[in-house]
Amino acid sequence: MFNLFKKKTVTCKKCSAEVSEKSLKDNLYICPECNAYLRMGAYERLDMVCDKGTFCETDGDLTSLNHISFPGYDDKLADAAEKSGISEAVICGTAEIDSMPCAVFAMDSNFMMGSMGSVVGERLTRLFELAAEQGLPVVGFTTSGGARMQEGIFSLMQMAKVSGAVKKHSDAGNLYVTVLTDPTTGGVTASFAMLGDIIIAEPNALVGFAGARVIEQTTGKALPAGFQRAEFILEHGFADAIVERPVLKSTLANILKIHTCKARR
Amino acid sequence: MENTAYDRVTAARSSQRALGGYYVKNLIDDFIELHGDRRFGDDAAIVSGIGYLDNQPVTVIAMERGDTLEDRMKRHFGCPTPEGYRKALRLMKEAEKFGRPVVCFIGSSGAYPGIDAEERGQGEAIAENLYEMMTLKTPIISVVVGEGGSGGALALGVGDTVIMMENAVYSVISPEGCASILWKDSANAPEAAEALKLTSQDLYDFKVIERVIEENGKSQEEITADLKQAISEVISQKQKLSIEELLAERYDKFRKIGVYK
């Protein structure tokens, strides 16, 4: 009974500080002790940038099947849904950012490490097709361990499917902004994460294709400090800017605005 | 005779197996190799150029792991770097300009996992190929001849028709990688290979690929001739379509892949 009144706390993964959930949320999930950017759920992400009450979820009813009868996948899916409280590793919809209509998506690492299977691929493809049809820009947050191996070849093919939809959206003259968050790796990096007209990264986010351990084992070389971090990605020319959370919404709004504004008076 | 999924994986990886370089040599007449991505360098894991397949001019892009140990090291055992994917895309664009069909041969464990490959945007290079291939205005035929390893294979795999050799495999992750994640032991690779459903028959049943070239019980010469005939047939079929029809069919083919409720 006492527990009900106990303040909920979260442990910072970097400095191990115990921070109350409320104060962490108020601080945009940045640790007040060490300034580390902690991972955020999909809905928290969308809350942070969408105008209040404007988010309207699309295709939330699509759910995964264990089509190739992969051992343990059914249990994993049930477990992921229960633990994360969300329906899949990406949440899609339409919303407004500073009163500008757009299509939005946010991946969530709490659901099977944000891995991409058929549902993630299908929700994103439908979102880009909808945005292309309605002439909406797409703003998306990526976080993923890569393709979802439990769906075998179907997960790999989602990379091509989503990239095709991104192309269709782009060819129709629409803007796509990606925000790379910690961690964005594997098949998501090698598809829609890297296809934004404008690519923003969060400070210190891990962004790469191959896993650090695989690279070390293959090459026998020690990885340089800061390898595959946002600052490394920026330095090598694969992101446009690193943007801090407190100014992310205003930065996105400014980007959207300049793409819709004819001439400023 | 290969039976289990892992037997196929072993066959696909065999050092005796005919891969990209072999098919370029044996299917393409008057081949002229073209090098370099015009950005940074030339990746020896991708052999590419122009030539004739049954008198039809084609652009060929093939993963090649090399013969001798020295040659294999130079080619990263057939694992392409970003320069390889960018060279491939450059030559696909050249093919598009001249309306020449593109034939890709896929056979490698995947994109090269290296510090330099990451520094030069391995993920971006693969993404760019998926994106551009989807609307490339000329027929693309992709043939999985060996191990089709993950995103690094798919980067040459957005074809109008995807053909697989009977004993080739095509998978989102290597059976060893899958086993070490799932059972914490790569020795369970044979079980993982079964679970991943990575054989040519599986992929044909899933409608992820369109054709399988039989290998078992045939000589390499017969296999090569069958593949040549299959590619020729597909090229003539695809050339009958308008560019709009070709691109709509390509988009729809990948658009349909996925299972959910």
Side-chain angles (χ1 to χ4, degrees):
Chain A
M1 212 43 197
F2 182 68
N3 274 344
L4 275 179
F5 301 102
K6 204 177 154 191
K7 221 168 158 187
K8 278 191 186 166
T9 61
V10 178
T11 312
C12 171
K13 277 192 186 135
K14 201 170 170 200
C15 72
S16 305
E18 295 280 331
V19 188
S20 85
E21 213 173 79
K22 164 118 185 25
S23 69
L24 196 59
K25 196 177 175 194
D26 292 344
N27 205 34
L28 305 171
Y29 298 88
I30 303 167
C31 173
E33 301 295 323
C34 74
N35 255 347
Y37 273 49
L38 304 182
R39 294 174 185 179
M40 293 173 71
Y43 290 107
E44 286 76 35
R45 286 273 172 206
L46 295 169
D47 257 4
M48 187 174 77
V49 299
C50 300
D51 296 349
K52 205 171 180 340
T54 61
F55 176 69
C56 184
E57 190 169 341
T58 53
D59 299 305
D61 55 340
L62 292 184
T63 49
S64 295
L65 278 174
N66 187 7
H67 188 59
I68 68 167
S69 308
F70 197 92
Y73 185 37
D74 296 288
D75 293 343
K76 262 215 155 74
L77 280 172
D79 195 47
E82 197 191 311
K83 281 196 179 137
S84 67
I86 59 169
S87 58
E88 250 295 339
V90 72
I91 301 297
C92 298
T94 55
E96 289 181 12
I97 296 176
D98 247 14
S99 303
M100 288 171 281
C102 49
V104 289
F105 71 82
M107 302 187 80
D108 196 321
S109 58
N110 297 309
F111 195 104
M112 289 190 75
M113 216 28 244
S115 59
M116 171 161 64
S118 294
V119 170
V120 170
E122 185 66 21
R123 284 186 184 179
L124 287 169
T125 300
R126 290 187 189 186
L127 186 77
F128 277 95
E129 287 178 341
L130 172 96
E133 213 178 278
Q134 300 189 0
L136 292 173
V138 175
V139 174
F141 292 88
T142 61
T143 179
S144 179
R148 187 176 297 170
M149 67 175 185
Q150 289 85 351
E151 292 190 22
I153 198 72
F154 290 98
S155 64
L156 183 68
M157 293 296 147
Q158 302 310 306
M159 292 169 63
K161 180 164 106 178
V162 178
S163 299
V166 175
K167 184 73 161 58
K168 197 174 230 189
H169 177 257
S170 178
D171 285 352
N174 299 299
L175 172 71
Y176 171 34
V177 182
T178 46
V179 184
L180 311 173
T181 77
D182 187 61
T184 296
T185 62
V188 167
T189 298
S191 61
F192 60 92
M194 280 292 155
L195 293 174
D197 295 295
I198 293 179
I199 300 178
I200 288 169
E202 284 206 323
N204 201 44
L206 179 80
V207 179
F209 176 66
R213 206 161 10 123
V214 176
I215 297 173
E216 271 180 333
Q217 282 168 358
T218 309
T219 63
K221 287 181 195 160
L223 303 177
F227 182 65
Q228 292 182 327
R229 292 290 165 181
E231 296 70 17
F232 169 97
I233 300 300
L234 182 76
E235 189 195 332
H236 289 94
F238 293 97
D240 291 285
I242 294 175
V243 177
E244 300 201 351
R245 275 179 201 164
V247 292
L248 186 57
K249 180 170 178 168
S250 60
T251 305
L252 289 171
N254 287 336
I255 291 170
L256 289 171
K257 193 171 171 192
I258 207 164
H259 283 83
T260 48
C261 163
K262 291 264 186 286
R264 203 153 62 163
R265 285 173 209 285
Chain B
M1 199 70 66
E2 288 79 9
N3 278 320
T4 70
Y6 199 69
D7 286 337
R8 308 257 181 166
V9 173
T10 310
R13 288 172 178 170
S14 155
S15 61
Q16 305 304 310
R17 188 165 179 84
L19 291 177
Y22 171 88
Y23 287 109
V24 171
K25 203 180 277 175
N26 289 279
L27 290 181
I28 309 298
D29 302 318
D30 301 330
F31 178 67
I32 302 171
E33 186 169 0
L34 302 172
H35 291 275
D37 70 348
R38 302 290 193 272
R39 296 287 184 270
F40 181 83
D42 183 46
D43 178 13
I46 300 261
V47 173
S48 51
I50 47 180
Y52 298 87
L53 188 136
D54 246 352
N55 295 319
Q56 163 70 49
V58 287
T59 288
V60 191
I61 298 162
M63 294 180 186
E64 173 52 36
R65 71 179 162 193
D67 296 320
T68 62
L69 181 63
E70 196 187 333
D71 191 30
R72 288 187 177 183
M73 306 239 318
K74 190 182 86 178
R75 297 179 195 271
H76 292 132
F77 294 81
C79 297
T81 60
E83 292 71 52
Y85 295 117
R86 291 184 183 126
K87 171 167 70 174
L89 184 57
R90 175 176 82 83
L91 293 177
M92 287 186 211
K93 292 279 186 182
E94 203 266 355
E96 177 182 51
K97 179 174 171 183
F98 296 98
R100 192 188 306 125
V102 177
V103 183
C104 299
F105 294 101
I106 297 165
S108 115
S109 57
Y112 181 65
I115 295 171
D116 48 351
E118 293 293 314
E119 284 173 340
R120 296 198 294 275
Q122 187 69 282
E124 191 272 349
I126 295 169
E128 195 68 14
N129 279 20
L130 306 180
Y131 183 79
E132 292 294 339
M133 286 177 83
M134 194 60 89
T135 54
L136 196 84
K137 296 184 189 72
T138 195
I140 304 173
I141 292 93
S142 298
V143 189
V144 186
V145 292
E147 185 176 13
S150 190
L154 184 64
L156 298 185
V158 187
D160 298 297
T161 296
V162 181
I163 299 173
M164 256 177 100
M165 308 309 282
E166 185 176 14
N167 295 319
V169 294
Y170 196 1
S171 178
V172 63
I173 187 170
S174 72
E176 290 76 11
C178 176
S180 38
I181 296 172
L182 214 59
W183 295 293
K184 312 280 172 230
D185 189 355
S186 61
N188 289 94
E191 288 89 324
E194 287 294 337
L196 286 164
K197 305 273 194 300
L198 45 62
T199 68
S200 57
Q201 189 60 51
D202 291 326
L203 269 66
Y204 182 78
D205 293 342
F206 293 151
K207 297 191 166 65
V208 168
I209 61 160
E210 284 74 31
R211 286 176 88 135
V212 177
I213 304 294
E214 280 183 33
E215 291 187 285
N216 296 339
K218 294 200 169 186
S219 71
Q220 185 60 52
E221 288 70 29
E222 288 171 313
I223 296 167
T224 307
D226 289 350
L227 178 59
K228 187 174 188 172
Q229 198 192 338
I231 298 172
S232 283
E233 276 171 23
V234 174
I235 289 176
S236 11
Q237 281 167 19
K238 297 301 171 190
Q239 282 176 327
K240 291 194 185 97
L241 302 173
S242 70
I243 294 297
E244 291 70 30
E245 288 168 332
L246 181 77
L247 297 188
E249 281 186 13
R250 190 184 301 156
Y251 185 85
D252 287 346
K253 173 183 129 95
F254 286 94
R255 178 69 188 85
K256 281 188 198 135
I257 303 178
V259 185
Y260 46 84
K261 62 185 172 197

